[in-house]
Amino acid sequence: MTGPSGSPQARHGSHLPVPRRWAVVTAGVGAGMGAGLLGTSLHGHLWSVSGALIPVGAIAALVLLGAVQLFVGLWSRNAWVVVMCGGATYLCAGLLSIPRGGFGMISANVQGNVWLYGIAVVTPLVAWWTSVLVRAKE
């Protein structure tokens, strides 16, 4: 089936064409780097409630990452883009955690651990959820 301009329609009944591979790779890596930068700047916020430390910034950063990954995965209709996005985020956060001059932007504290290890937890969960949603659309 072709659209009004003669371009092939998306396989899933959408009126939008399937994105090109270069656009998918660029979007996945760019979104991952952006989420890594924004999440790193956000992760340090902490609430202390009755002596308990709640890393609200790191949790918010992981929610941001999950939302970005889900958006890119559903836009590209491919769960592997979510994995690529998570890899770019982890690479960005890893580079920012390297101490330069005795100071790294991500420390080995509650917030830093939740942010760094949370990327490795959120990415496969969002990739799985994206694959479920893409298959349901078929």
Side-chain angles (χ1 to χ4, degrees), residues 32-49:
M33 295 300 282
L37 290 171
L38 290 173
T40 299
S41 67
L42 182 63
H43 88 281
H45 296 280
L46 186 70
W47 281 350
S48 178
V49 178

Side-chain angles (χ1 to χ4, degrees), residues 31-44 55 57-66 69 85-86 88-94 96-97 105-107 109-123:
M33 295 300 282
L37 290 171
L38 290 173
T40 299
S41 67
L42 182 63
H43 88 281
I59 293 168
L62 291 172
V63 169
L64 169 79
L65 173 63
Q69 288 176 331
C85 182
T89 302
Y90 201 76
L91 176 67
C92 180
L96 292 173
S97 69
M105 292 185 81
I106 301 173
S107 302
N109 54 15
V110 174
Q111 307 95 294
N113 290 335
V114 169
W115 171 229
L116 285 177
Y117 295 120
I119 295 169
V121 172
V122 167
T123 297

Side-chain angles (χ1 to χ4, degrees), residues 23-35:
V24 168
V25 170
T26 303
V29 171
M33 295 300 282

